[in-house]
Amino acid sequence: MKRVLSILAALCFLASCGPEIDPIRPKDNPEIPTPEPEPEPEPEPEPEKEPVLQFTSIWEDLFKGESTSAACAVTDGEPGKDYKVLYTSSDVSVATVSDEGKVTALKAGTARITAKIVGTEAMAYRDYHVMDLSQLKQAYSSDLVMVKGHTIYYKAVMQSWDFFDDYFYVCQVCGSPHTLTYTRKPVYEQNPQDYMHLKYYGHGDNMFVERASDGDYLWTSNYGTLESGETNRYSESQVISRIKFSPNKTVLPEDSSFNCVIPGMKRLIAAYDADNGNVGIWCRDASGVAWFYVYPMEDIKALQAESIQLSFSRTYGNPKVTDRPTVYARNLSKLTPLFKFQMPLKNVPQGYDYHHNKIYFMRGDGAELEEREAGTNKNWARVYYISPQTAKTLVQVDLPWVDNVSLLKSENITDLGYFEPEGIKLKDGYIYIGFASKDAGSSPERRVNIFKYKQQ
């Protein structure tokens, strides 16, 4: 036993005197190499940004010999990278396009101008219509009819109108006191119909409807005045108002919360170039000279409203009141218009449209039965095609068949012969022209008739 204890003691003594060896610390062991640290992973390369092409110029209809820019800008691509844009025309006999995107019109027709970034899939295109309006000279055909014979709210002719795929809107001057009544109905059906009434707003010479996420808005004349010597005819409106269409609602001028004025101008009426997002406003100054202004819709909406006293007095109501009201409105003279020019015609339109930066202006008249019998008047309708760039009338065309009373009767359009032009719109490659007609009788129905022509 003593021998065993002696051996154990000796082993403990040797262990306390020898070098420390830690098997889990290889760096202190010269026979076990220290591993190299793992390298940091290389970062994934960012994917190349795909370029996008966007047109930077206004979209225009053209007349033979006119030129415009179809230039595009590259966005969202690699910073500093030089992208080459190639422009092509689908029909070089109608319109050519240069390397810089300059489009030149050669003859009537449609040419698609395509811009493409070389070496990529990025592209953009527009259809450019070269106009001459010769299609309006064609003889009547039932193929021209969009709708005919529809009656609306009141026994008065329509003054202006607009439509979408689902709804047709039409404005009439109705009743006493003077009211602009707006009827909404299906495009191709007589019913159902909804109505909205705007008292003392004006004559309703022109209008457009803005389709918004929360409903449809009427852009219409407001703050009209009773014409001298008249008992119930209002015109010379000094305000453009944007009013949400609300069935069965009657509103007064001061009920509108979105108003626009151009100080010193009256008889304001508006049209909308939806593809370019621009509003065109026809108006006249105190001396009767007609002017045309173009503003971006977004600039109009961004402008702060303020209290503005109107430039001219008005007379309205029953009993009649004359005042010069202060209106909470957007003063458009504080904006720089895209275009401002004196119109080549002083005449008040029977409707006009502003589309792809061209004005389609309509004049004409419908002969009452007694005028026809006296041989003193006839139905007539004329369309003018006006360029904001030159402020000149490029084309004017008369519709040849509108005075053919036997034709109008045989087509069940009117049995009185009365056929008055009332409004023009351009949509989806067609020109739409509206006419009001009357039936016979002591209180004849007033009817809506819309005809469509290919745009070129």
Side-chain angles (χ1 to χ4, degrees):
M1 184 64 179
K2 288 181 179 179
R3 181 176 176 82
V4 172
L5 292 173
S6 298
I7 293 171
L8 289 173
L11 290 172
C12 290
F13 175 79
L14 290 172
S16 64
C17 296
E20 288 187 315
I21 299 176
D22 187 351
I24 67 172
R25 295 176 62 192
K27 66 181 181 179
D28 295 332
N29 189 332
E31 297 185 10
I32 302 177
T34 301
E36 294 292 330
E38 290 289 332
E40 292 291 329
E42 292 290 331
E44 291 289 331
E46 291 188 12
E48 184 175 336
K49 293 182 179 180
E50 293 294 328
V52 175
L53 270 179
Q54 291 183 328
F55 286 98
T56 57
S57 53
I58 199 166
W59 190 352
E60 296 192 84
D61 289 341
L62 297 172
F63 181 64
K64 180 180 176 180
E66 280 194 307
S67 295
T68 190
S69 172
C72 286
V74 180
T75 62
D76 298 336
E78 291 295 316
K81 187 170 181 178
D82 184 21
Y83 292 99
K84 179 175 175 54
V85 179
L86 177 66
Y87 295 92
T88 57
S89 169
S90 65
D91 191 338
V92 294
S93 70
V94 171
T96 60
V97 61
S98 71
D99 292 343
E100 294 75 32
K102 180 182 178 181
V103 180
T104 301
L106 301 179
K107 72 174 185 179
T110 298
R112 174 165 291 183
I113 303 301
T114 301
K116 190 176 188 302
I117 299 178
V118 176
T120 76
E121 297 300 316
M123 62 179 293
Y125 63 84
R126 280 178 176 172
D127 288 335
Y128 283 82
H129 302 288
V130 181
M131 308 290 289
D132 64 9
L133 299 189
S134 61
Q135 68 274 33
L136 300 183
K137 298 178 183 178
Q138 71 186 71
Y140 175 85
S141 163
S142 59
D143 293 337
L144 297 175
V145 175
M146 175 185 171
V147 297
K148 69 176 181 178
H150 288 189
T151 57
I152 43 181
Y153 175 78
Y154 191 76
K155 292 185 186 300
V157 299
M158 68 174 180
Q159 296 295 331
S160 54
W161 48 274
D162 200 356
F163 72 96
F164 297 96
D165 290 337
D166 51 356
Y167 286 129
F168 183 88
Y169 289 86
V170 59
C171 172
Q172 305 170 269
V173 176
C174 298
S176 183
H178 174 96
T179 301
L180 292 183
T181 291
Y182 282 89
T183 298
R184 181 179 70 182
K185 70 176 191 64
V187 174
Y188 298 105
E189 302 295 333
Q190 173 73 51
N191 293 303
Q193 296 187 8
D194 295 314
Y195 318 104
M196 184 177 185
H197 309 287
L198 283 60
K199 285 188 177 182
Y200 312 124
Y201 270 58
H203 197 65
D205 301 293
N206 211 67
M207 53 88 76
F208 73 86
V209 179
E210 176 198 355
R211 178 145 283 183
S213 59
D214 61 338
D216 289 349
Y217 286 81
L218 311 171
W219 286 68
T220 184
S221 305
N222 194 357
Y223 284 88
T225 187
L226 185 65
E227 291 186 6
S228 177
E230 295 285 345
T231 58
N232 196 40
R233 181 183 174 94
Y234 283 68
S235 63
E236 304 303 325
S237 302
Q238 298 181 62
V239 175
I240 294 289
S241 293
R242 176 183 185 262
I243 300 171
K244 186 175 182 179
F245 182 82
S246 303
N248 304 317
K249 189 173 181 180
T250 299
V251 298
L252 295 170
E254 58 267 25
D255 294 330
S256 172
S257 60
F258 189 111
N259 303 303
C260 302
V261 301
I262 304 176
M265 297 293 172
K266 54 187 174 180
R267 201 148 189 162
L268 279 71
I269 47 178
Y272 186 36
D273 183 356
D275 286 334
N276 285 311
N278 296 329
V279 177
I281 298 176
W282 181 96
C283 53
R284 293 199 298 192
D285 61 24
S287 63
V289 174
W291 295 84
F292 201 82
Y293 293 76
V294 177
Y295 302 97
M297 172 79 84
E298 61 182 18
D299 288 359
I300 293 176
K301 290 185 174 180
L303 190 62
Q304 289 293 320
E306 58 187 277
S307 294
I308 303 171
Q309 187 175 33
L310 298 184
S311 301
F312 310 97
S313 63
R314 63 163 181 169
T315 299
Y316 73 104
N318 187 18
K320 291 187 291 187
V321 174
T322 299
D323 65 3
R324 189 177 159 206
T326 295
V327 179
Y328 193 65
R330 290 159 168 80
N331 183 350
L332 299 187
S333 68
K334 293 188 174 181
L335 297 176
T336 300
L338 295 175
F339 298 96
K340 173 191 173 183
F341 60 93
Q342 184 177 326
M343 285 284 287
L345 303 167
K346 283 187 176 182
N347 310 80
V348 175
Q350 291 295 107
Y352 77 92
D353 200 12
Y354 178 57
H355 177 77
H356 288 177
N357 200 37
K358 289 294 187 294
I359 301 164
Y360 298 84
F361 190 94
M362 174 174 275
R363 293 181 60 218
D365 198 5
E368 300 287 356
L369 181 59
E370 57 270 24
E371 294 174 315
R372 286 189 158 278
E373 291 175 345
T376 57
N377 207 346
K378 65 177 184 176
N379 299 332
W380 65 282
R382 183 174 300 148
V383 175
Y384 302 78
Y385 175 66
I386 299 169
S387 169
Q389 282 81 359
T390 63
K392 293 181 179 178
T393 299
L394 299 177
V395 183
Q396 66 180 53
V397 176
D398 288 312
L399 279 71
W401 55 271
V402 301
D403 193 41
N404 188 337
V405 176
S406 59
L407 170 68
L408 299 176
K409 290 181 178 180
S410 68
E411 290 292 318
N412 295 316
I413 294 173
T414 174
D415 56 6
L416 283 176
Y418 175 90
F419 198 55
E420 183 178 6
E422 298 283 7
I424 181 169
K425 298 289 181 186
L426 281 84
K427 293 177 183 283
D428 304 322
Y430 285 89
I431 303 174
Y432 296 86
I433 297 179
F435 288 85
S437 60
K438 296 180 183 179
D439 294 344
S442 59
S443 182
E445 294 284 359
R446 276 67 163 174
R447 298 190 178 274
V448 172
N449 308 279
I450 310 293
F451 304 89
K452 62 179 183 179
Y453 296 78
K454 284 294 290 183
Q455 192 165 322
Q456 81 292 320

